[in-house]
Amino acid sequence: MNPIAALSSIAAGLFGLALALPGGSALAQPAGGGASAGRLPALVETYGNGPHRAALLAPPRNGDFARASSALRAGFRAAADRDGGLSVEVYDFTDDAGALVAAYREFAARGVAVVVGPLTRNGVNALASQGQPAIPTLALNQPDVPLPPDILVFGLPIEGEMQQLARVAFEDASARPNRAGREGPRALVVSAPSPLARRGASAFVMHWRMLGGQTDLPVEFEPRAVAGMRAELAAANADAVVVLGGADLVRAVKAAFGTVASAASATGTRLLPAAGAGSPATAAASGMANGNPLAAAETTGRAGGAGVKPLLYASSMIGPAFDGERRVPELDGVFLMQMPWLVWPEHPAVMGYPRPSGPFANAELQRLYALGIDAFRVAREMAVRRPAFEIDGVTGRLSFDGSGNRLERSTVPSEVRDGGLVARVPAPLLQPAPAFVPVPAFVPAPAPTAAPATAPVPMPVPVPQFPSPSLDQPAADASG
């Protein structure tokens, strides 16, 4: 089973700091009471000596999700070894609701500060069905039912990726030549006939239209069918062509249009140098030489017609084509959103963690390894009840502002250049990570002191308060 299939529909949620738990919540019942508990998940590993205890619920090390689980565990351990702050217990979890009830009762009795997982959608559904947990929980997939408070959802949804791509593509297309006085830019969306591609295509279309762009419903093709549809594709008269599918489909669509304009060269965006690139000759070839960012772009005619080539965009679904540092020069000029871990090895956050090799060398498992790294970092913030936080993560820039129900993740605009994936723009300047200092849940006010009779009476010293996030219940994600 494809490990990304278990993560393709994930939305952001929240963890609450409420002290009162609903009486009907099976995960909030003390030992010996409430709903029927099953067998405890098997404890398979412990490490770390931090002051706060974390429990990681990962799929068993054998079965359909064994490789995905191993990659996630390896990333979580890499972050724990580097960053510290938590004592970690790793459990094999089989998505059983009864096992969850038993686990949370045991965790609460032993003072576990944060639970991470489950990874699969079925597991998160089981978690959500049990009501508000007694312990803040970081779920790694989006459920099909509404989430109760005290659960923050974090993962790698294709829907979020496509919303970000729509924003960037809209800006690119709007800035192209001869757009003055025209209606909103037009996009053509081509999708593979798979559930993951369809979800991504729908998310792009919805957000593109919200921005004011024009587009029809996505069209579906197998790669071998694209060549016979060249005339129909050209007739779409698109400023941007967006392909949801693997590298074969993107390659076929690119060939059907002929040469496409580079998103970076057409808009003047600086590309970060790829390995072995960055020479003046390379810069000139990409249209960046001599301060002329439009040198490589056509500047006459209408998009989709003679003169101006459409901009071509893809999704992270093309990642496996670059496994093993393979070069795919026929995809040069294709633009997409990617996590820093896969396109920017010099990123300060990425440089701090070891690179996996061997069984984790492919793109799908690298994404899960990176998810494990950032899951540990988010869990560390949750363990100390930090009301808001921002993390320069290896999966993107992560932020939670303490209100609403979303953990935001911003990825890196990237492009295929010289056959490899490279970051298109630099991320925001990064500040050194602050030292890990636990934040107390409550600080008592100092005792009042009697003032001299002749002195003014001092005002009472207010009790320091830590604002709690909103406990509004998030809406269910329609889709992962």
Side-chain angles (χ1 to χ4, degrees):
M1 183 179 294
N2 188 329
I4 294 302
L7 296 176
S8 59
S9 177
I10 309 166
L14 80 159
F15 66 93
L17 301 181
L19 299 179
L21 298 174
S25 172
L27 302 183
Q29 296 293 336
S36 174
R39 184 176 181 179
L40 276 170
L43 175 64
V44 296
E45 186 180 13
T46 61
Y47 51 82
N49 58 359
H52 303 280
R53 184 173 294 170
L56 173 61
L57 301 177
R61 293 159 297 172
N62 50 36
D64 288 340
F65 293 94
R67 297 176 70 210
S69 180
S70 295
L72 175 76
R73 296 175 194 225
F76 204 85
R77 176 66 184 266
D81 289 346
R82 177 188 183 271
D83 298 331
L86 297 176
S87 296
V88 179
E89 302 172 355
V90 184
Y91 294 84
D92 277 349
F93 175 64
T94 58
D95 299 345
D96 177 67
L100 272 176
V101 174
Y104 272 81
R105 290 177 181 173
E106 176 70 15
F107 296 160
R110 295 194 296 104
V112 170
V114 61
V115 177
V116 180
L119 175 64
T120 67
R121 178 174 292 192
N122 286 342
V124 180
N125 283 335
L127 173 69
S129 69
Q130 298 302 313
Q132 183 176 352
I135 304 167
T137 300
L138 179 64
L140 300 178
N141 210 324
Q142 171 66 32
D144 300 313
V145 296
L147 283 168
D150 285 316
I151 298 177
L152 172 66
V153 180
F154 168 56
L156 310 173
I158 195 164
E159 291 88 347
E161 176 187 335
M162 287 299 101
Q163 289 175 6
Q164 293 183 52
L165 183 69
R167 291 194 294 269
V168 176
F170 187 87
E171 292 177 1
D172 288 344
S174 298
R176 301 201 71 198
N178 298 331
R179 284 228 46 88
R182 285 178 50 193
E183 60 195 15
R186 173 165 288 277
L188 170 65
V189 182
V190 179
S191 171
S194 72
L196 179 63
R198 288 168 180 157
R199 288 196 298 271
S202 296
F204 181 91
V205 167
M206 181 175 66
H207 203 70
W208 182 266
R209 289 175 175 173
M210 288 175 57
L211 294 169
Q214 310 295 314
T215 184
D216 297 319
L217 292 176
V219 293
E220 290 190 1
F221 289 115
E222 294 282 359
R224 61 180 179 274
V226 173
M229 301 296 293
R230 290 189 178 187
E232 289 81 356
L233 292 173
N237 207 24
D239 297 289
V241 178
V242 183
V243 184
L244 275 296
D248 288 346
L249 181 60
V250 178
R251 186 184 292 112
V253 172
K254 185 172 185 285
F257 277 96
T259 303
V260 296
S262 160
S265 62
T267 58
T269 305
R270 183 174 68 86
L271 287 167
L272 296 177
S279 66
T282 302
S286 64
M288 307 292 285
N290 302 318
N292 181 11
L294 297 175
E298 301 284 352
T299 57
T300 61
R302 181 184 169 93
V308 174
K309 300 294 184 180
L311 302 171
L312 182 58
Y313 299 85
S315 73
S316 57
M317 294 174 69
I318 70 172
F322 300 89
D323 285 350
E325 300 184 356
R326 289 197 299 266
R327 295 276 167 175
V328 191
E330 59 268 31
L331 295 183
D332 276 2
V334 174
F335 172 77
L336 67 159
M337 306 298 293
Q338 269 288 20
M339 61 174 63
W341 185 259
L342 294 177
V343 296
W344 197 352
E346 296 82 13
H347 187 287
V350 172
M351 292 175 64
Y353 298 95
R355 284 273 167 183
S357 58
F360 304 142
N362 71 61
E364 291 177 350
L365 296 182
Q366 286 276 351
R367 283 163 58 87
L368 287 160
Y369 179 87
L371 177 69
I373 291 174
D374 280 354
F376 177 89
R377 300 176 71 188
V378 173
R380 200 175 68 162
E381 302 296 324
M382 295 173 66
V384 297
R385 307 297 199 273
R386 207 175 300 279
F389 55 84
E390 190 166 301
I391 298 171
D392 288 308
V394 299
T395 63
R397 192 171 185 88
L398 312 175
S399 61
F400 179 64
D401 65 5
S403 63
N405 64 348
R406 295 189 63 85
L407 174 76
E408 300 292 341
R409 183 175 75 98
S410 300
T411 51
V412 179
S414 309
E415 186 176 0
V416 182
R417 182 162 62 94
D418 298 332
L421 285 172
V422 294
R424 173 182 167 192
V425 295
L429 295 177
L430 303 177
Q431 299 297 324
F436 181 68
V437 179
V439 177
F442 173 74
V443 179
T449 57
T454 57
V457 178
M459 295 295 291
V461 179
V463 179
Q465 299 291 327
F466 294 94
S468 297
S470 168
L471 296 183
D472 292 340
Q473 180 168 293
D477 190 88
S479 55

